[in-house]
Structure formats: C-alpha cells, structure tokens
Amino acid sequence: MSADVLIRKIKEMNNPTVAGLDPLVDYVPASMVKGDSLEAKAEAILNFNKGLIDALCDIVPAVKPQSAYYELLGWQGVKAFYETVAYAQSKGMYVIADAKRNDIGSTAGAYSKAFFDTLGSEALTVNGYLGYDGVEPFVRDGKMIFVLVKTSNPGSGQLQDLKLENGKTIYEQMGGYVEEWGAPSIGEYGYSNVGAVVGATHKAQLQELREKLPHTFFLIPGYGAQGGTAEDIAVGFVNGTGAIVNSSRGIMCAYKKQNLPAEKFAEAARNEAIRMRDEINSKIL
Amino acid sequence: MSADVLIRKIKEMNNPTVAGLDPLVDYVPASMVKGDSLEAKAEAILNFNKGLIDALCDIVPAVKPQSAYYELLGWQGVKAFYETVAYAQSKGMYVIADAKRNDIGSTAGAYSKAFFDTLGSEALTVNGYLGYDGVEPFVRDGKMIFVLVKTSNPGSGQLQDLKLENGKTIYEQMGGYVEEWGAPSIGEYGYSNVGAVVGATHKAQLQELREKLPHTFFLIPGYGAQGGTAEDIAVGFVNGTGAIVNSSRGIMCAYKKQNLPAEKFAEAARNEAIRMRDEINSKIL
C-alpha cells in the first residue's frame, strides 16, 4: 500500500514535509545557467534540483516536482522533469508528481500510464471534476493519488465553497468522494491510497476536513510563501500524522531569506528544511 | 480575437469539426513502427499524425492533439507533440491543445506560457475547479481556452450534475462563470475567447447550456466513438455556428470501419472527415 510507504518514510525521518521542486531559471545561480536555449535552461534547473536533492535527501522524505515549470521549457524541460524524478528516486526519495491531471476514462488511463509507468513516480495529484470514471484509472495498487479538494489559492472558494442542496459545500462533497474512493485501499496506518489536496491557507476548512475524512491522507500546500503557518497546518494532523506539508519557494529560494549568495542555495535549503521540520513537529506532536 | 480566428476558419471551410489527434502506437500501420523504444514509438505517431494532417488540412480547420497520448511516451512523446503542433500550423491548421491544465495562479501562469508561448498553440482546454484566479492566467489576447463545463464521460454527473442551494447544477454554475469570464473578449461573431467543453453524450444539458450561454463557443467531444450523434450535437449550435465538434478515434481509426488496411489510414480519415462534415452540416444549417 503506497500510503503506507509514504507514512513509513515520514516516520523514519521524523519529518512530515515535502520539498516542492518548482524551479524557475531565475532562482538558479547565474554561474549554473550556460545559455539562453531551452536545453541550457532545462539543464540549469536539473542541476539546481540535483543540488537541492543532495542537500535534502537524508532529512526530507519526499519531493514534489511541479510539472508546469518543466513544461514551460518544452520537451527539453520535460526531459529534465524525468531526470529529476529519477535522481530523487536514486537518492531514496518518494516522488509526488504535481500535475493535477484529469480526463475521461480512456485518456485518464493514458495519463496514469504516463506518470506511474513511463515516468514511474510514486504519487500524482489529480483533479476530480470529471467524477470517478475519470479518477479510477489513477487508482492503482502501490501508487498514491491526491485529489484536489480545497485548494490553497485565494479564489478557491468561488466554486469549492458553494453550498449544495444537500447542505454540503462542494469541497466537502469532493472530500466525501475521496474518502469513499479510498475505502478499499486503507493501509496499516489507517489511511488509503486516495489522498486529498487541502490548502494550509484555509485553516477552518482544513480542520473541518480533517475531522470528516479520517482515512484520507492530506497533501497540504500553501505553507510559507503562500501564507500558511505551522499553527494553521497543525489542524490537518491527528496524533502527529495524517498529512504531509509542502514548501516550494520557501525551500528553493531559502538563500534569499537567509541573505546568502545564490551559490549557497543548497545549504540554505537544508537549513530551511530543518527549521520547517522542527517548527511543524513542535506544533503537531 | 482568437474565437474570431477559429470561427472564420470554420466558415471558410464550411466545416465545424476538429480532428482529435490522440494516437496510440496500436493505431499506426506496423510498417511505420521502427522499433520498441519510446523514440521509435514517438516517431511512429508523429509520422502517423503528419499523414493525417496532410490528408485533412484542406478540409478540416483544426486539430486537437490530446497531451496524454504523447506524455505516455515520455519526453520523447512530448517532443512528438511539439512537432505535431508545428506541422499542423505549417499546414494552416488551428491547434487546440487538449491538456485540461489547472493550478493556482502562479503555476497556471507557467502552464499558460508553456502552451501559448513555448508550444505556441492557439487554444487550450482548462479545468476550472480552482476558480478564476487559477483560470485568469490562461485568458490572453489572441488565445482561446475551453473550460470544462459538462464533460462527455458517463460519470460526469457524479459531481457536475449536483444541485446547488441556488437551484443551479454545478455544470450550470461553471457555465455561468465561463460566460462571465469571457464577457470582456466577445468578438465580431458574438463569441468570447473563453469557451466551454460540453459533451455530445449529454444532449439535454448541451441544449440547456446553449440557451443559457449565448456568448460561449463550445468544444463538443463525444461524437462518434463515444456515442454522440449528429442529431445530439445539433442542439449545441445556433444558426449553424457556436460550436466545433471533435472526433478522434472516428477519424484516426476510420480505416478499421471502412475495412481498409491500416496503410490506408490517411485516405480513410479524409473520407470520414468529409462524411462527418456533411452529416453535421445537414443537421445544423
């Protein structure tokens, strides 16, 4: 059961966080960028990622590369995405591909094979607007998905907070589906392979969903750069588990906050990852 | 205004259809597949696509490559996706990239640049579950998006048909947003740059949405292989315009239905494209 694999790694490292790898060339030290072509930029972000992975792999259980920032650099960027995933896995890290894929069943099946077989990531984020026949192809033994339930963006309420005739909000309804879709795959820690994305930036909804979805493991974005605090995310945990918290820019660009030169990005990222781990553990344990 | 560009092409060719390019290696004549590697498969589908584009470009205004089937073949497949788009454009075709992308604003901005700048497609399909701050980065002068409103899959009603407290269904609410998001970009034909995906397989909802969303251009999937008929899709049109109908497998695999050898795929696709055009025009004009 893949939720078990992730939870075991989190427990081993005593660290319920994931490092988001959403690199822009602007974040990379100028000395690492060897030209202006897509190839050169893709190589720069790949080497930046490798530096981050080397600095984090013994203290952070997982990485979450965001597909958009690689697609931005064309197929050359997608190649760097593949190489980033392989490198992280070679260092023992669990990989959550953040791509929010969604489509009708046959096409969702193609995406499922793309991410779980061709790429070989352990987990994938998925958008459930199409309903279960568009989600089911992603639900596989040994793999994990995180379905968007309540997203971290300021405007997520425009659709997700609307009330249904049955008295539930749309995010609550989606959360209920996620709990139901995951029921057959509940593992030894009590969580299923169908997780949920719930933003740190909406604390009340995070707390509500934590109570209503006892078997759903949460991927919590929005900590740090987006404004979510350790106190906010603490309500997404039960007995110190049940969620993993993402930080992307906070870790990738830690050198800026620490007033270090860009060349020290890896050291700064490690410092920030340790600080984040300890801060979050102090609130949830 | 990009909706104008598409509508003008449709009028010039008197053909409100788009050819979906969702190729599987299984569809390609064996003689065109030069090996088992991702590179060889990607090259095979690229050459298959070129054959289809050559056969269709003077009678069909647009192609809709589905990203999943290229991602399935790794970055090598994404390279073939790029080359397919460039080839279709070199033959004068309008390209709707079908990728159903969605994310929070900053990341949606990266996807927008990926598809509209790096790739350079004319249009993109988008999932609106995150709300307008996740859609707005895709709304650009000279580009068109199609937001998922009522999808063609059998289970689309699980979420989309639920009734809200305000009496509307979720798909109707999403459709209302689309009409609102498009209001600033209504062009000379009365349609905006923010279109909607509405499946041919749900005729009553297609008719309802056509009446309620007068400035929203529809991309209608689900004709043919998925079960939608020309009578079904006709309700998505007003005065012979307002929509474009997709056929993917029906065109790519037309040789099977016409009992032709796979090598005749291009000729068969052209025959089917003409048949589909004439059938649809006979119902909508």
Side-chain angles (χ1 to χ4, degrees), chain A residues 25-103:
Chain A
V25 174
D26 291 351
Y27 301 161
V28 181
S31 60
M32 291 173 64
V33 186
K34 312 283 190 194
D36 227 18
S37 66
L38 294 175
E39 285 85 350
K41 290 178 182 171
E43 198 193 338
I45 65 170
L46 173 61
N47 288 327
F48 181 71
N49 287 344
K50 286 183 175 176
L52 291 168
I53 290 165
D54 287 341
L56 300 174
C57 63
D58 63 323
I59 53 167
V60 177
V63 288
K64 183 176 76 61
Q66 165 52 255
S67 190
Y69 293 94
Y70 303 84
E71 295 183 41
L72 185 55
L73 300 176
W75 60 264
Q76 296 90 338
V78 177
K79 185 163 181 270
F81 183 78
Y82 267 71
E83 291 167 342
T84 294
V85 169
Y87 191 77
Q89 290 175 328
S90 78
K91 297 289 175 174
M93 299 187 93
Y94 186 97
V95 176
I96 302 169
D98 193 359
K100 300 184 174 65
R101 294 299 194 257
N102 65 104
D103 217 298

Side-chain angles (χ1 to χ4, degrees), chain A residues 200-214:
Chain A
T201 46
H202 307 290
K203 185 180 182 178
Q205 290 90 338
L206 177 58
Q207 182 157 27
E208 175 201 346
L209 288 166
R210 181 66 292 157
E211 287 161 12
K212 289 181 175 158
L213 311 179

Side-chain angles (χ1 to χ4, degrees), chain A residues 11-265:
Chain A
K11 287 183 182 289
E12 278 166 15
M13 290 193 177
N14 189 31
N15 187 355
T17 74
V18 47
L21 299 176
D22 315 6
L24 285 174
V25 174
D26 291 351
Y27 301 161
V28 181
S31 60
M32 291 173 64
V33 186
K34 312 283 190 194
D36 227 18
S37 66
L38 294 175
E39 285 85 350
K41 290 178 182 171
E43 198 193 338
I45 65 170
L46 173 61
N47 288 327
F48 181 71
N49 287 344
K50 286 183 175 176
L52 291 168
I53 290 165
D54 287 341
L56 300 174
C57 63
D58 63 323
I59 53 167
V60 177
V63 288
K64 183 176 76 61
Q66 165 52 255
S67 190
Y69 293 94
Y70 303 84
E71 295 183 41
L72 185 55
L73 300 176
W75 60 264
Q76 296 90 338
V78 177
K79 185 163 181 270
F81 183 78
Y82 267 71
E83 291 167 342
T84 294
V85 169
Y87 191 77
Q89 290 175 328
S90 78
K91 297 289 175 174
M93 299 187 93
Y94 186 97
V95 176
I96 302 169
D98 193 359
K100 300 184 174 65
R101 294 299 194 257
N102 65 104
D103 217 298
I104 65 168
S106 50
T107 305
Y111 276 131
S112 176
K113 285 182 198 161
F115 281 89
F116 291 142
D117 298 322
T118 313
L119 175 65
S121 69
E122 280 81 16
L124 176 68
T125 55
V126 166
N127 185 317
Y129 185 75
L130 281 89
Y132 191 61
D133 58 350
V135 172
E136 190 275 338
F138 294 108
V139 179
R140 289 168 49 167
D141 266 359
K143 299 292 182 181
M144 184 153 192
I145 61 170
F146 294 94
V147 178
L148 302 187
V149 171
K150 173 66 183 170
T151 56
S152 61
N153 55 310
S156 66
Q158 186 179 22
L159 188 79
Q160 297 162 26
D161 289 2
L162 294 179
K163 274 247 179 159
L164 293 163
E165 241 182 25
N166 65 15
K168 293 181 185 171
T169 56
I170 291 179
Y171 71 77
E172 189 186 349
Q173 183 77 28
M174 185 69 91
Y177 288 143
V178 168
E179 184 80 8
E180 179 189 319
W181 299 339
S185 66
I186 295 171
E188 62 178 278
Y189 299 103
Y191 293 96
S192 83
N193 289 350
V194 184
V197 175
V198 185
T201 46
H202 307 290
K203 185 180 182 178
Q205 290 90 338
L206 177 58
Q207 182 157 27
E208 175 201 346
L209 288 166
R210 181 66 292 157
E211 287 161 12
K212 289 181 175 158
L213 311 179
H215 307 101
T216 302
F217 201 79
F218 289 175
L219 170 61
I220 305 182
Y223 170 86
Q226 287 182 56
T229 67
E231 284 79 11
D232 294 333
I233 61 91
V235 301
F237 288 78
V238 177
N239 299 326
T241 187
I244 190 163
V245 181
N246 181 73
S247 174
S248 299
R249 277 167 286 173
I251 287 183
M252 287 184 299
C253 300
Y255 65 87
K256 294 182 186 176
K257 215 172 161 188
Q258 296 171 32
N259 291 313
L260 290 169
E263 283 69 22
K264 300 276 188 190
F265 73 91

